[in-house]
DNA sequence: GCCAACGTTGGC
DNA sequence: GCCAACGTTGGC
């Protein structure tokens, strides 16, 4: 069982949006970064828990927990010319991009902000707090997971 | 809205 | 295979 963190802009798709979906489940599509793609394709397993992170907003931070309910499969939004994330180089016979499905688990009692996370000595090695890191999906160690939850 | 960081593209 | 140009991310 692994832990992860996934970023989303709340204006586009927030934790509340996920909670309001039928079955509280949604495909995590539109990721167009190879590192993130590889993690969804190879490493994210059924039942893995994920921190839901709000980026590019008033209070950037971790707002909830979600879970992987379907492992990596082709992201068909890449095939749709009308889609914002259309990629003409992704061929249906050899899809370039992958996605997983996630389900709402719960919101945190409070937002644990990026600002706060950056002050913690325990998290100096956490990818999220490294300057200039733009990865939208990243692994979280058991120790990091437990520590962050202890802040709640 | 600005801009630093960084990934990708493409000419050579 | 190098690297400049360009586009995107995301904090502020």
């Amino acid at each position: 069982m692994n832990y992860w963190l996934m970023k989303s802009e709340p204006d586009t798709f927030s934790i509340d949006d996920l909670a309001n979906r039928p079955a509280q489940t949604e495909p995590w599509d539109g990721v167009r970064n190879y590192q993130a793609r590889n993690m969804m394709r190879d490493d994210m397993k059924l039942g893995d828990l994920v921190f839901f992170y709000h980026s590019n907003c008033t209070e950037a931070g971790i707002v909830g927990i979600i879970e992987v309910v379907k492992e990596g499969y082709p992201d068909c939004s890449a095939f749709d010319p009308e889609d914002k994330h259309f990629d003409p180089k992704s061929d249906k016979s050899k899809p370039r991009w992958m996605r997983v499905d996630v389900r709402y688990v719960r919101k945190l009692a409070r937002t644990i902000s990026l600002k706060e996370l950056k002050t913690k000595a325990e998290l100096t090695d956490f990818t999220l707090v490294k300057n200039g890191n733009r990865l939208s999906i990243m692994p979280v160690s058991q120790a990091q997971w437990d520590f962050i939850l202890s802040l709640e």
Side-chain angles (χ1 to χ4, degrees):
Chain A
M1 152 104 158
N2 292 308
Y3 298 102
W4 306 93
L5 179 143
M6 290 167 120
K7 296 179 184 174
S8 181
E9 301 191 16
D11 288 347
T12 307
F13 188 72
S14 71
I15 184 101
D16 291 323
D17 292 330
L18 179 61
N20 290 328
R21 281 289 190 272
Q24 301 189 314
T25 299
E26 184 77 356
W28 200 273
D29 58 13
V31 174
R32 298 293 178 265
N33 169 282
Y34 289 105
Q35 264 185 281
R37 187 276 313 266
N38 293 347
M39 288 186 270
M40 288 199 287
R41 185 189 59 193
D42 305 328
D43 302 322
M44 298 185 81
K45 300 298 176 196
L46 219 56
D48 280 0
L49 293 177
V50 183
F51 281 135
F52 196 114
Y53 178 88
H54 280 175
S55 68
N56 223 343
C57 57
T58 316
E59 194 182 22
I62 296 168
V63 294
I65 296 174
I66 61 182
E67 111 184 81
V68 177
V69 292
K70 182 170 179 177
E71 296 180 7
Y73 65 106
D75 180 354
C76 61
S77 70
F79 307 138
D80 177 5
E82 301 299 312
D83 195 282
K84 185 171 179 262
H85 300 288
F86 174 60
D87 181 358
K89 291 176 191 155
S90 184
D91 190 277
K92 276 185 187 170
S93 65
K94 210 182 165 197
R96 174 181 291 206
W97 303 113
M98 307 288 278
R99 67 186 181 194
V100 298
D101 287 358
V102 295
R103 181 166 61 208
Y104 176 84
V105 174
R106 69 176 180 92
K107 282 211 248 186
L108 297 191
R110 65 182 186 94
T111 299
I112 303 176
S113 71
L114 176 63
K115 193 177 165 190
E116 177 178 355
L117 295 172
K118 279 183 167 171
T119 66
K120 305 294 180 187
E122 290 87 342
L123 299 175
T124 357
D125 292 329
F126 188 28
T127 313
L128 183 74
V129 305
K130 301 241 165 122
N131 210 17
N133 194 286
R134 300 182 312 165
L135 254 190
S136 63
I137 301 178
M138 66 190 74
V140 178
S141 73
Q142 175 87 56
Q144 289 162 347
W145 180 273
D146 291 342
F147 176 74
I148 291 167
L149 276 186
S150 78
L151 301 172
E152 184 185 8

